[in-house]
Amino acid sequence: MRAMWRAGLAAFSALIVLQACGQQSGETRDISDADREYQHVLMEALLDAAPGSVIEIPAGVFVIERGLSLANVDGVTIRGAGMDETILSFAGQRAGAEGLLVTSANNFTIEDLAIEDSIGDALKITGSENVIIRRVRTEWTRGASTDNGAYGIYPVLTTNVLIEESVAIGASDAGIYVGQSDNIIVRNNRAEYNVAGIEIENSMDADVYGNTATNNTGGILVFNMPNLPRPGHGTRVFDNDVFENNTRNFGHAGTPVANVPAGTGILVNSNDDVEIFNNRVARNRTANVIISSLHSAGFSELGVESDFDPYPERIHIHSNTFEGGGNNPDGMDLQALRIALFGPTGRIPDVLWDGYVDEAKMVDGTLPDDLRICVSGAEVLNADGPGGYGNPRIVTAEHDCSHAPRAAVELPF
Amino acid sequence: MIRALTLLAAAFLLAACGNDAGEPPSRAPVDMAAWEAETVFHASGNPARLEDWGQFRIEDGRLVLAEGVVPYGLNTALFSDYALKLRTVWLPEGAAPAIWHDTETFDFPVGTVITKTFYYPRGGGGFETVALELDPNAHFDGAALDLSAVRVIETRILVRREEGWAAIPYVWNDNQRSTRLARAGAFVDLTLLEAGGRSGALSYQVPDVNQCAQCHVTNAADGQVRPIGPRARHLNGDYVYAHGEHNQLDHWREAGLLTGGPASAGAPRNAVWHGETTLSGMALEAAARAYIDINCAHCHSRTGHARTSGLYLEPSDPVGPAFGVCKPPIAAGRGTGNRRYSIVPGDSQASIFTFRMETVRPDAMMPELGRSRAHSEGVALVAAWIDAMAGGC
């Protein structure tokens, strides 16, 4: 049995049933009266962009029928008149896997516009340095739905990335997702009604602060996945409001986030050097914080490259404010665990850990101090994944330790 | 006579309402002299028409290759909505030959022009009706393409300039005698006639210039556009030239197009595959790997755009986790098809790999560009290969 994640056959069949029932919760923006001519102007502008070009997009709702792309040009700025004024609608998209794909474009800025209802990812930026995404809204206007595209704001393989004051709504994977990148600041954004609100994956040195993550399935995720060209570590998650991330999981079965339990506040999976502090974390019904390893994610060991390190290490959780949550965890296993340990009205403690430890690194039966999961100001439940969830127990005292504060991320712009 | 009139009327109707590129339909009278008589290397800019390059001329209703323009084929080719492709290469007078490379694209000299013309056999009925044909050289005799038998959609130019390769797409006008530059791409709505009289709508997409780069920038680190086909393993096979059949690598070396490398018998060679679905054993393995190579590996390599996925599909990659075996997806979204692993040995129906080849949803399909239809023969090939694998996940 896999108590922690939704994986396994039971969760799988539950998902399929959910999908069969339909997922639509609202209506997509009606674009029948929107402008259809401007898209040609914008496509030409993107093709003709030269170093230093500023592409200004006026206020209005513009229908875009094929994926836009900008490639191999540095110093370009794309600027709208505001995230509620300049709207690129892909509701009638016929081709292209993204709304806007930006490839190998250093010193790139996009600001003050919205990308709505793309078939796939809304804004993907790949292989670029010095990227600023500011006051951009990515949204699927019908609300949470499995029919929505996967990612909202999606920089991957980037260096020096700033995402600020942006809004991501309705992504069927992650609203704001930074993958395989270095030196990252994600601040003062709002992520709502996504499967994952904000996700940092296989990335180095990220600061995630001042954000609001609510009504997602999981609020803020810090992940490492196997088989990628590079693992990541080193993330600070602080000063965020992470509350009521209780939306049922509407991810596509088979994706890693489809296994995240509804009601997850902050989730660290197989990642190291993560400092979580000064957050206000409230009323996430499975658990306010989950620390887990890939072992709990329900994947075949056959498909994991042997050099992958699945154990979360050097985690430091402190100075957060917790309220409620853990009262109605997603999935039968966790529900049974809650009732067995804490009674019918009890709740899962604020920090839920699957209990996997790298035994190869143990010295005299314990992990060196340097590698430990340290928690202060919150109760910790070890779910005993390695023991088949046979002996779940409160282990708060064992995690009474601390690590040196991580340094702030600094961007060169 | 009546049929011809109907065709003509249909062509006019199409010209009036088709054309998604936002450019005015071509109503200019056909000007044969517009086809440049001499091959030209344009060292910069985007010439307005394919005619300006002098790589072809139109003669007696045929698209004729200019002097020195050499046609070529690939052992196994990229699928592009069943379009047939006439590929050519031309090096300017006096240019040094391209330099051999064992695995990568040959190093062509400045001035090289490569063309790829996408066409379908006409299907009878309207101008928009085209026929499915698996013979890669249908209606091309080694020197000319019979324009009365085909509908030509587009010709893409890759030109090697001082600063690197440039990709320049041209769409053929409905008169089938002239072209126009289409940097922003186009949609061309067709009806594809299949075997057994079935037909289906086909929304053919001409890529825009940036989309060209999505496939042709095979090394994202340098951002350079490169040809994909002209590599030893794709070219190492026989081609039916106007003067007879000949190994392409040998012919290129004899014609001064290429220098270096081992004799063709000892050179890398991908399987020849044009849609056969009854293979097994080693032949199945070789054909599947050749298909995955030319259809997937330009992105799914350690330097390509799909390196973010950690799925590496080059011919030198072993069939292990990084090739997809029991590998969970990373950022596939809908592309999982509710399946858990890229390849489940022995079970293609549980493998994401085949789902993404079958679906035509733009956010889920693979390749991401260049098709609006599934390649049923290609899916069958890869599925058979996966089904023949031992084990599970």
Side-chain angles (χ1 to χ4, degrees):
Chain A
M1 103 172 187
R2 289 195 172 89
M4 300 263 318
W5 284 49
R6 295 161 50 95
L9 276 177
F12 237 75
S13 46
L15 252 185
I16 287 161
V17 169
L18 268 173
Q19 284 171 357
C21 297
Q23 296 276 322
Q24 306 223 349
S25 44
E27 294 289 317
T28 295
R29 177 193 295 276
D30 179 4
I31 53 166
S32 50
D33 295 330
D35 179 294
R36 286 173 185 272
E37 296 308 311
Y38 180 75
Q39 58 179 323
H40 304 297
V41 176
L42 182 55
M43 278 176 207
E44 293 279 348
L46 290 167
L47 290 178
D48 292 336
S53 289
V54 177
I55 298 171
E56 302 254 14
I57 307 177
V61 180
F62 304 108
V63 175
I64 314 285
E65 290 171 298
R66 49 198 286 169
L68 299 171
S69 65
L70 177 77
N72 302 308
V73 56
D74 293 346
V76 172
T77 297
I78 300 175
R79 181 180 296 141
M83 70 161 74
D84 295 317
E85 284 74 31
T86 296
I87 295 167
L88 307 180
S89 173
F90 292 81
Q93 188 176 2
R94 296 175 66 183
E98 298 87 10
L100 171 60
L101 174 64
V102 178
T103 308
S104 302
N106 300 323
N107 306 320
F108 172 75
T109 299
I110 182 167
E111 57 192 13
D112 296 306
L113 56 79
I115 297 174
E116 291 185 351
D117 299 318
S118 54
I119 294 180
D121 307 325
L123 170 61
K124 181 174 178 180
I125 301 172
T126 176
S128 303
E129 285 185 18
N130 303 335
V131 173
I132 299 175
I133 301 161
R134 180 182 287 139
R135 295 183 299 273
V136 167
R137 177 170 56 87
T138 60
E139 180 169 3
W140 284 269
T141 57
R142 66 183 148 222
S145 165
T146 305
D147 286 335
N148 297 344
Y151 296 100
I153 296 169
Y154 177 17
V156 60
L157 291 171
T158 54
T159 300
N160 302 327
V161 192
L162 172 63
I163 303 173
E164 65 179 358
E165 296 166 40
S166 292
V167 174
I169 299 173
S172 67
D173 200 300
I176 297 173
Y177 172 97
V178 184
Q180 301 173 60
S181 293
D182 294 295
N183 230 35
I184 301 146
I185 292 180
V186 177
R187 68 184 175 204
N188 306 328
N189 303 287
R190 185 163 66 90
E192 199 164 0
Y193 294 107
N194 308 285
V195 174
I198 298 170
E199 182 172 359
I200 307 294
E201 185 165 283
N202 291 66
S203 289
M204 302 271 282
D205 299 311
D207 274 358
V208 179
Y209 62 91
N211 302 286
T212 298
T214 185
N215 289 320
N216 305 287
T217 301
I220 298 177
L221 279 55
V222 183
F223 261 53
N224 260 354
M225 286 293 291
N227 310 326
L228 287 179
R230 43 162 300 159
H233 61 83
T235 296
R236 302 195 306 164
V237 177
F238 60 100
D239 290 336
N240 299 287
D241 286 291
V242 185
F243 58 95
E244 293 166 18
N245 290 288
N246 296 328
T247 296
R248 60 175 172 58
N249 195 315
F250 60 98
H252 291 275
T255 58
V257 298
N259 294 336
V260 172
T264 299
I266 298 171
L267 171 57
V268 177
N269 187 60
S270 298
N271 206 298
D272 297 348
D273 300 290
V274 182
E275 186 176 6
I276 300 171
F277 61 102
N278 287 356
N279 299 286
R280 294 159 295 278
V281 190
R283 299 179 299 282
N284 301 288
R285 69 180 174 93
T286 291
N288 284 327
V289 178
I290 297 177
I291 310 293
S292 65
S293 79
L294 192 77
H295 294 307
S296 293
F299 291 118
S300 166
E301 307 281 328
L302 294 174
V304 178
E305 299 276 19
S306 55
D307 59 354
F308 181 71
D309 173 8
Y311 303 100
E313 289 160 347
R314 258 186 320 280
I315 311 296
H316 192 191
I317 301 171
H318 63 93
S319 314
N320 300 287
T321 306
F322 294 107
E323 182 198 324
N327 55 308
N328 182 19
D330 189 12
M332 302 286 282
D333 294 337
L334 283 172
Q335 201 63 275
L337 178 75
R338 178 185 68 84
I339 294 168
L341 287 184
F342 309 105
T345 58
R347 49 183 288 270
I348 302 278
D350 288 320
V351 177
L352 170 60
W353 174 46
D354 66 359
Y356 286 94
V357 177
D358 189 350
E359 295 190 353
K361 291 180 185 157
M362 285 186 147
V363 178
D364 297 332
T366 74
L367 268 188
D369 286 348
D370 181 44
L371 299 179
R372 294 171 66 187
I373 296 171
C374 297
V375 180
S376 55
E379 262 197 323
V380 182
L381 173 65
N382 177 348
D384 190 28
Y389 305 94
N391 181 25
R393 56 202 184 272
I394 298 289
V395 291
T396 310
E398 296 168 27
H399 295 271
D400 180 14
C401 57
S402 65
H403 297 296
R406 289 189 53 74
V409 170
E410 290 184 22
L411 296 173
F413 46 78
Chain B
M1 183 64 197
I2 289 170
R3 180 140 175 270
L5 276 174
T6 320
L7 265 175
L8 204 58
F12 272 113
L13 270 176
L14 270 171
C17 60
N19 207 317
D20 288 282
E23 291 159 52
S26 161
R27 295 197 187 82
V30 180
D31 177 7
M32 295 304 177
W35 287 79
E36 191 62 49
E38 299 288 325
T39 43
V40 189
F41 163 52
H42 295 277
S44 64
N46 299 303
R49 305 164 310 156
L50 174 66
E51 293 90 306
D52 301 330
W53 291 85
Q55 295 281 312
F56 304 97
R57 64 180 187 276
I58 291 180
E59 207 174 273
D60 300 333
R62 302 179 344 137
L63 183 69
V64 183
L65 274 54
E67 179 78 24
V69 173
V70 176
Y72 67 94
L74 307 185
N75 286 349
T76 297
L78 172 74
F79 174 74
S80 307
D81 269 347
Y82 290 109
L84 301 176
K85 302 168 189 177
L86 168 57
R87 302 174 184 82
T88 70
V89 58
W90 171 81
L91 270 57
E93 189 76 33
I99 298 164
W100 172 277
H101 195 288
D102 280 339
T103 56
E104 300 306 308
T105 300
F106 298 147
D107 186 5
F108 288 91
V110 170
T112 301
V113 176
I114 289 175
T115 78
K116 193 163 158 188
T117 297
F118 294 69
Y119 65 96
Y120 293 89
R122 297 195 183 198
F127 181 61
E128 78 290 350
T129 304
V130 297
L132 191 158
E133 168 65 62
L134 295 177
D135 173 4
N137 295 316
H139 306 295
F140 179 71
D141 65 6
L145 183 64
D146 178 4
L147 292 175
S148 70
V150 303
R151 160 102 187 247
V152 188
I153 308 294
E154 57 160 330
T155 298
R156 303 178 193 168
I157 294 258
L158 277 174
V159 55
R160 177 70 169 87
R161 291 171 165 165
E162 199 65 55
E163 66 275 18
W165 290 94
I168 308 177
Y170 296 93
V171 171
W172 281 66
N173 294 321
D174 290 349
N175 63 29
Q176 294 284 289
R177 295 293 185 273
S178 63
T179 70
R180 61 183 189 275
L181 180 66
R183 294 179 68 233
F187 287 109
V188 181
D189 291 319
L190 301 171
T191 300
L192 182 69
L193 279 183
E194 299 176 48
R198 285 180 296 126
S199 69
L202 189 159
S203 178
Y204 185 97
Q205 190 194 358
V206 179
D208 68 43
V209 168
N210 281 341
Q211 289 173 325
C212 293
Q214 281 183 43
C215 293
H216 283 277
V217 173
T218 47
N219 181 348
D222 68 16
Q224 294 285 318
V225 164
R226 286 186 181 84
I228 297 168
R231 303 182 192 205
R233 63 183 182 271
H234 302 308
L235 294 173
N236 190 3
D238 291 339
Y239 190 82
V240 182
Y241 296 97
H243 60 271
E245 195 165 339
H246 201 18
N247 178 279
Q248 295 189 107
L249 294 176
D250 295 338
H251 178 70
W252 283 34
R253 281 187 281 231
E254 285 164 20
L257 293 172
L258 175 68
T259 182
S264 56
R269 180 183 198 127
N270 271 12
V272 175
W273 184 82
H274 300 304
E276 298 81 357
T277 53
T278 54
L279 303 173
S280 63
M282 296 292 283
L284 172 63
E285 164 92 13
R289 290 299 300 262
Y291 185 86
I292 291 168
D293 179 6
I294 197 68
N295 282 276
C296 317
H298 49 275
C299 282
H300 280 281
S301 73
R302 282 161 185 77
T303 61
H305 281 304
R307 66 198 185 287
T308 53
S309 67
L311 185 68
Y312 304 132
L313 303 175
E314 291 191 287
S316 55
D317 288 312
V319 182
F323 207 93
V325 176
C326 299
K327 178 185 180 298
I330 301 297
R334 180 187 304 280
T336 66
N338 294 339
R339 301 176 186 185
R340 307 195 68 200
Y341 304 110
S342 295
I343 292 175
V344 178
D347 192 351
S348 62
Q349 289 305 300
S351 301
I352 294 170
F353 215 104
T354 45
F355 170 76
R356 300 195 82 166
M357 291 175 66
E358 285 173 320
T359 181
V360 295
R361 283 198 50 123
D363 61 331
M365 72 179 191
M366 287 290 158
E368 288 186 334
L369 295 174
R371 68 177 182 88
S372 63
R373 301 278 296 239
H375 184 201
S376 53
E377 295 82 5
V379 174
L381 174 69
V382 173
W385 176 63
I386 291 173
D387 287 335
M389 290 181 188
C393 292

